[in-house]
Amino acid sequence: ILNVEQSPQSLHVQEGDSTNFTCSFPSSNFYALHWYRWETAKSPEALFVMTLNGDEKKKGRISATLNTKEGYSYLYIKGSQPEDSATYLCAPNTNAGKSTFGDGTTLTVKP
Amino acid sequence: DAGVTQSPTHLIKTRGQHVTLRCSPISGHKSVSWYQQVLGQGPQFIFQYYEKEERGRGNFPDRFSARQFPNYSSELNVNALLLGDSALYLCASSYLYGGRRDGYTFGSGTRLTVV
């Protein structure tokens, strides 16, 4: 079982603030890392799949970076909006093939 | 296209009873994984099936079992329910096992309450 840590556990920001969170995972047997966004009363939705050390992915105001050698990924949100309020989950996937989820970072963006 | 469908959406059971949860993956997806999510925690891995074979099992007791059918739909069974089994059960569909290429597509979940 992988030890996946996400920090902070929760975050409250004002609309327009930029923010970032961290996902830490064991770097051995790494295959891929997934980020998901989970809005209240909805299903988790895949944001990014990252595989290579140094990968950087971007979708609108949200971007993510990956460091497989040291075992971490950052998720950045630029100019947060109330609709960004959600729990952001990371899930590294190992060579064994299953994804292990962190406990998530819950973001609340106040208008 | 239909997404991942799970049934039922909500369920209330009594301790000691048995429950069956069902999941239909996205058409073309051959892998189904089951996760249990309790409030404040991330989804915990229960089972993974790919091409009708079990490909992984999480740290859950033998009261939990699952199977995948020829049409790739899946059932999760839980026997002798305990209060601690109350949770949201998520089904995750993927083309490759473990969601390795494109990640998972999740269903809306089944909210199980054990009283």
Side-chain angles (χ1 to χ4, degrees), chain B residues 65-85:
Chain B
S65 64
R67 54 181 175 168
Q68 187 176 33
F69 297 101
N71 66 354
Y72 301 109
S73 67
S74 177
E75 282 183 355
L76 176 69
N77 295 284
V78 187
N79 293 323
L81 285 167
L82 303 174
L83 296 179
D85 296 330

Side-chain angles (χ1 to χ4, degrees), chain A residues 1 9 31-32 34 36 38 41-46 49 51 89 91 93-104, chain B residues 35 37 40-45 48 55 57-59 88 90 96-109:
Chain A
I1 298 177
Q9 185 177 13
Y31 182 85
H34 301 96
Y36 293 85
W38 196 355
K42 295 186 177 179
S43 308
E45 173 194 0
V49 179
T51 56
L89 296 164
N93 188 292
T94 68
N95 291 330
K98 75 173 176 66
S99 290
T100 300
F101 285 82
D103 288 338
Chain B
Y35 285 83
Q37 195 263 338
Q41 296 180 16
Q44 298 296 308
F45 174 73
Q48 178 176 269
R55 289 298 192 101
R57 183 186 183 113
N59 189 25
L88 179 68
L90 290 166
L96 295 177
Y97 66 92
R100 305 188 86 188
R101 187 182 72 180
D102 302 318
Y104 291 133
T105 301
F106 283 91
S108 299

Side-chain angles (χ1 to χ4, degrees), chain A residues 51-102:
Chain A
T51 56
L52 298 176
N53 185 45
D55 253 358
E56 183 170 341
K57 295 286 179 84
K58 188 174 181 181
K59 183 187 279 190
R61 294 177 292 95
I62 304 177
S63 61
T65 61
L66 177 66
N67 183 321
T68 60
K69 294 184 178 179
E70 296 182 38
Y72 65 83
S73 176
Y74 293 138
L75 187 79
Y76 302 91
I77 302 179
K78 184 177 178 182
S80 302
Q81 299 297 308
E83 58 265 32
D84 296 328
S85 296
T87 296
Y88 291 84
L89 296 164
C90 74
N93 188 292
T94 68
N95 291 330
K98 75 173 176 66
S99 290
T100 300
F101 285 82

Side-chain angles (χ1 to χ4, degrees), chain B residues 17-60:
Chain B
Q17 285 188 314
H18 162 270
V19 68
T20 297
L21 311 181
R22 295 179 175 84
C23 172
S24 292
I26 286 176
S27 178
H29 282 192
K30 300 180 179 180
S31 180
V32 169
S33 299
W34 287 95
Y35 285 83
Q36 180 197 64
Q37 195 263 338
V38 297
L39 198 62
Q41 296 180 16
Q44 298 296 308
F45 174 73
I46 311 176
F47 283 109
Q48 178 176 269
Y49 280 81
Y50 178 70
E51 285 283 20
K52 292 151 282 183
E53 290 187 5
E54 182 181 305
R55 289 298 192 101
R57 183 186 183 113
N59 189 25
F60 281 80

Side-chain angles (χ1 to χ4, degrees), chain A residues 97-110:
Chain A
K98 75 173 176 66
S99 290
T100 300
F101 285 82
D103 288 338
T105 293
T106 299
L107 174 68
T108 304
V109 183
K110 301 174 185 177

